[in-house]
Amino acid sequence: MAAVGIQAQQTPSINDTHIINLTPGLATQCGFSFKFDPMGNAMFFASLQNCFSQNMAASGYKMTAVVFSPSKKVMNVDEVQRKGYAIANTPTRLVLRSPHNAEETYLQNVAGVPMRVLSTSTFFEQKWLVTRVDATAVCPTPEAVVFTPEVITWYMPKHIDPLFSSDAFTMLEVYMGIDAKRLDTEEMAARNYSVLVTEAHIIVEIPVGAVGGYFKSHIQDDQYFVTYTIEPMLELLWIEEVAHEDTSYKVLFPITTPPMARPPQVRNLPPSVTGNCDQENFHITVDYRNQDPFFVVLVGKRLLNHELAQQYLTEGDADFTITLPFSSPDAVFESVHSSSVRSRLDVALLNPYNNMTIKYFSLACSFLKTLTECFSNGTMTALAVKVESAPGLNPGQLTLSDPACGPTYSDDRFAYFHFTVNSCGTTRKFINNVMLYENEISLPDELEVKLNATVSSEEEYQLKVSCYYVANTTRTLAFLTRPRDHEPFVETGTGRLMVRMRLAQDASYNTFHQEEDYPVVRYLRQPLHFEVELTTSSDPKVALVLDHCWATLNEDRDSRPRWNLIINGCENPGDPYRVVFHPVVADARVHFPPHVKRFEVYMFSFAEDAGEPSGQVFVHCDVVICDASSPSGGPCSGQCVNQDNPKRGQRHVKDLFEERHLYVSSGYILWV
């Protein structure tokens, strides 16, 4: 469908030879529609297969009759058109258009949802040959929608019976859109839309007042009401196992809520918005002094709901401040440099009745960050960041100069690399008394071609990383030795070394649950982000390694049942939802990344003897404190990054003299 926006005061007309007034009936028959947007502009929509487009007749065939089911009523082409239908054909296409409530349409209950159906058989004749083309159209009805004051719920049958020839099918794609424009998952999340595919239905939920729709005022019996209108779209693609043919189905479904009693709001001039940055965060202040705070806040692409407000917002008497980490998913990275990242946060104040922008504010700052680290043992680490100019980039597909060297860890915004200077295509050259090692993070050539097919060539992703080492240097060391008196074993919380485990509130690891927050409640399969930290040491040569981590039903770390999360520093291979290790980089809080380990697990439950799942779990970890400058194998060889390494997890007698074991436990976590 093509759409053209025009300014109009009367019914539009078309045809370059003479004027034809588009009555509502003719518009329906010919594939045109006409409406006003919230600003009062007229919107004119024309189907590419409208009555006045140039279609070519099928060679040698003549359309003779149309049979409507289930009534078996037969009409010739002239009768069909007089009844308000439109029918046309090309060599490869049959177009039949009908008003929603035409006499020959009928209601059919499909999976409990009333649907309006038009079913026809069209006959074509050519000398001694007659060809029949069966066509069926199915549209939702207003009874498919359920309203509450907060949410619009639209039920669409998953198996649309009139369109299927069998029950055996596979749903290949489900997409949602607004005003005929498909939305991606990020845009849907920003608007709080949801699409749930169940065994019988596809369920669309849209908050009343969400972006994409608009409010309209009404006066009835001297009372003020508003309605909310939005036009969602569903696109489905399925294949039937018998016919082995793909079928695509698209429906645009305008929805208007019943009138809702809401008092009119007084609109003032916009509030003021200011902002600044510190070493880690954006700070944006909205001042609505002497004004009514009649707006909702869009942070990045997400509405500032109650959950986000609790995390990021500080309120004053007539203002509020949003404090957001520069690495938050709500911010975008504009550019990356060797020692800094330029990040931007966009904030918009929207009118909740018509979603018009009241105030827009954008703040961009450069944050000092070490993205490449060089270690004296000849290893390098590098953090690649997805930037705004490469929207189609998947960081997990980035590699070093050697395409076989992918990231150790990646998500949709970052890729973390760990490699030695004599591997992965790293080059070396000498500059005076310095050795320079260089590598490049980019997409493999075949993926670069695919990315460039959708973005311009200047948006290629390339990030150079380098390390300098002094080629010739002399260091003087002195040491004394004495025999050990006992094994270096430290109980929890005693001695000079102390370790703590904390549960982060989200994947940013910027805020953590406090002691008074426990028990923390989570849904099953919801991610839990743990951080284990060596808190009392400032020795950069010391490293913390997670040796074993496990979950129990109660606070006793030795109790049963027990489920292993980490075994000998690696993910439990028998866990269907394996632990994910997250990289740690230095920032204002973390001065020594080797002192900190972060991992993610999915919330789960134990099944007790009676078969009923238990509602709480405790997580415990056995950690090892090692000399990072002299790893000796076993747990001190570093956190497991390769599950297939046959040497990882083996223990040697001498390891016991070079490790210090400590134990930490979390508070208990409830699932719902």
Side-chain angles (χ1 to χ4, degrees), residues 186-208:
E186 190 175 47
E187 291 174 306
M188 289 179 57
R191 302 180 182 202
N192 286 331
Y193 301 160
S194 72
V195 175
L196 177 64
V197 180
T198 68
E199 192 68 26
H201 299 98
I202 298 168
I203 304 173
V204 177
E205 289 192 345
I206 302 173
V208 173

Side-chain angles (χ1 to χ4, degrees), residues 29 69 105 144 190 201 217 222 229 244 254 303 319 371 381 487 514 519 585 588 593 602 622 641 651 668 672:
Q29 184 179 24
S69 298
T105 64
H201 299 98
S217 300
D222 294 328
T229 298
H244 297 290
L303 285 175
D319 61 20
L371 300 181
T381 62
E487 295 292 331
Q514 305 301 314
V585 296
Y602 289 95
D622 178 354
V641 295
R651 295 297 187 92
Y668 72 98
V672 294

Side-chain angles (χ1 to χ4, degrees), residues 503 517-524 526 528 553 603-605 614-618 666-672:
L503 178 62
D517 295 338
Y518 288 91
V520 175
V521 179
R522 288 288 188 272
Y523 291 101
L524 286 176
Q526 188 174 359
L528 303 171
L553 274 173
M603 187 63 191
F604 66 98
S605 66
S614 173
Q616 68 180 35
V617 294
F618 290 76
S666 73
Y668 72 98
I669 306 164
L670 295 176
W671 69 267
V672 294

Side-chain angles (χ1 to χ4, degrees), residues 433-453:
N433 195 37
V434 171
M435 289 185 297
L436 172 63
Y437 291 91
E438 291 183 307
N439 209 313
E440 183 177 89
I441 299 173
S442 63
L443 282 175
D445 291 341
E446 64 272 14
L447 293 178
E448 190 74 55
V449 171
K450 292 181 180 179
L451 181 65
N452 289 340

